[in-house]
Structures are given as structure tokens and as C-alpha cells.
Amino acid sequence: MACPEGKKVAFGTYTLVEEVEYWWENTHQCLEAEGQDVTWDVFKRVFLEKYFPKDVRNKKEMEILELKQGNMTVAKYATKFEELVRYFPHYQGRDGESSKCVKFLNGLGPEVKQVVNYQGVRQFPLLVNMC
């Protein structure tokens, strides 16, 4: 959603319910008591630490590191890739677009990779369409 940066925490936390809502009330108080400015990045960090544990993150990281097209279609590979890549900030935003493309290309089957790799495309949607 097109939500201004300064409103993201308020909007995001408004949707929390039950145990998660109680967790956030307590965590928010602790962060403020420590003098931390509760930005969207801070919220995401503490939320993921709590609800996306390190062992699960490690498993997802291994999945994306080992992901190869294999016998999948390009569309199926792209879907699986996008499902996994969303967990990794390194591949997000404008700065991560090129790394995301390199990782995607690296997992393609040799016949597709050979044709597309030399194009130098570093915009992910365009790269997927070319494949």
C-alpha cells in the first residue's frame, strides 16, 4: 500500500490481534524506554526476530542458495525464487535488484542461461519475461 514512511508502524501494528498485539504493546514500551525511535525498519527487525526465528531463516537461506531451475519451467522457478527472495533484505529495493538478477540467472538451466546471461539485464521483471 502507498503508506507514508512515518505512518507504516501505526498502520502495520493496527492490524495486529491477540497474542501478537500484546507482544507489540510490551515490545513498543521497552523500545521507547530504551530511547529507540520506533521506525518501520526497527519494527520489522523486532517482529522478524520474534516470529521468524533464526533456524527458520537459516532454512530459507539454504533453500534460496540451493535453488536451481532443474526440471521446473521458468515460470515455476521464478515463482519459487520470488517466494524465497522476499525473506532477504539483500535482494530488496533498488540496490538489491542487480544481485537478485544475478542469483536468478545463476539458478537457471544452462540452455536458458546461455541465451539470457549475455543480455546484461538487471531489472528482475524484464529478466523473467526474457527467460
Side-chain angles (χ1 to χ4, degrees), residues 32-93:
E32 285 183 332
E34 294 171 359
Q36 283 198 44
D37 186 24
V38 183
T39 63
W40 181 242
D41 287 335
V42 169
F43 172 77
K44 287 191 303 185
R45 179 181 50 80
V46 296
F47 181 86
L48 291 175
E49 285 172 358
K50 173 72 175 173
Y51 292 101
F52 189 38
K54 191 165 182 81
D55 61 325
V56 176
R57 280 183 282 173
N58 289 342
K59 184 177 181 238
K60 291 291 183 193
E61 187 170 6
M62 290 308 300
E63 280 185 62
I64 198 162
L65 289 173
E66 295 172 354
L67 183 64
K68 302 284 185 218
Q69 181 185 357
N71 61 0
M72 290 185 272
T73 64
V74 171
K76 179 101 172 149
Y77 169 63
T79 299
K80 183 67 176 172
F81 181 85
E82 289 189 273
E83 175 188 310
L84 292 170
V85 81
R86 68 189 175 127
Y87 295 109
F88 302 97
H90 173 71
Y91 296 114
Q92 305 305 317

Side-chain angles (χ1 to χ4, degrees), residues 21-33:
E21 182 179 17
Y22 303 131
W23 164 82
W24 176 243
E25 288 173 4
N26 183 50
T27 301
H28 189 219
Q29 288 175 1
C30 290
L31 290 169
E32 285 183 332

